[in-house]
Amino acid sequence: MPSKDTVIKAEPSLTRKELVSILARKTGTSKRISGIMIGTLEELITTELKAGRNLTLSGFGTFYSIDRTARKGIDPNTKKEIKVPSMRLPKFRPGINLRKALRTTTSKKDA
């Protein structure tokens, strides 16, 4: 088991291109169709979050957004006070199946 101070290097990220290839292979569709499916999913998630609605994929997780109010901040370079505008930020809460899958993976690597 790694100590508390141990830095665990993350694996390289899966790119959109790789994701499209994997989806095409697993579904038996073309890369073009798989790219359209992924683009459509991204568009649906974005549209729902912009409208202030949540998008839940049962067992996988929930995409939701939060609204941050405007606030005062400090520019780290000049140390001057600045206004930080209000904004909506995307968030993701993993579902039980995803959490269980990651716990299982982690405990197998640590063993």
Side-chain angles (χ1 to χ4, degrees), residues 71-76 78-85:
R71 59 188 168 83
K72 293 179 183 177
I74 297 180
D75 183 330
T78 64
K79 308 295 186 217
K80 289 184 181 179
E81 192 174 275
I82 59 172
K83 287 183 182 179
V84 178

Side-chain angles (χ1 to χ4, degrees), residues 11-72:
E11 295 293 320
S13 300
L14 183 67
T15 65
R16 180 187 174 94
K17 186 176 181 180
E18 293 166 334
L19 182 59
V20 167
S21 294
I22 292 168
L23 183 62
R25 187 174 57 244
K26 288 193 173 220
T27 61
T29 60
S30 69
K31 288 182 182 179
R32 186 178 77 74
I33 297 296
S34 295
I36 291 170
M37 288 190 282
I38 290 171
T40 302
L41 180 60
E42 290 172 347
E43 185 181 310
L44 287 170
I45 292 169
T46 301
T47 301
E48 292 302 302
L49 295 181
K50 283 176 76 173
R53 295 187 294 261
N54 297 346
L55 189 136
T56 301
L57 302 172
S58 296
F60 181 75
T62 301
F63 295 91
Y64 64 101
S65 62
I66 60 167
D67 290 319
R68 282 207 172 154
T69 58
R71 59 188 168 83
K72 293 179 183 177

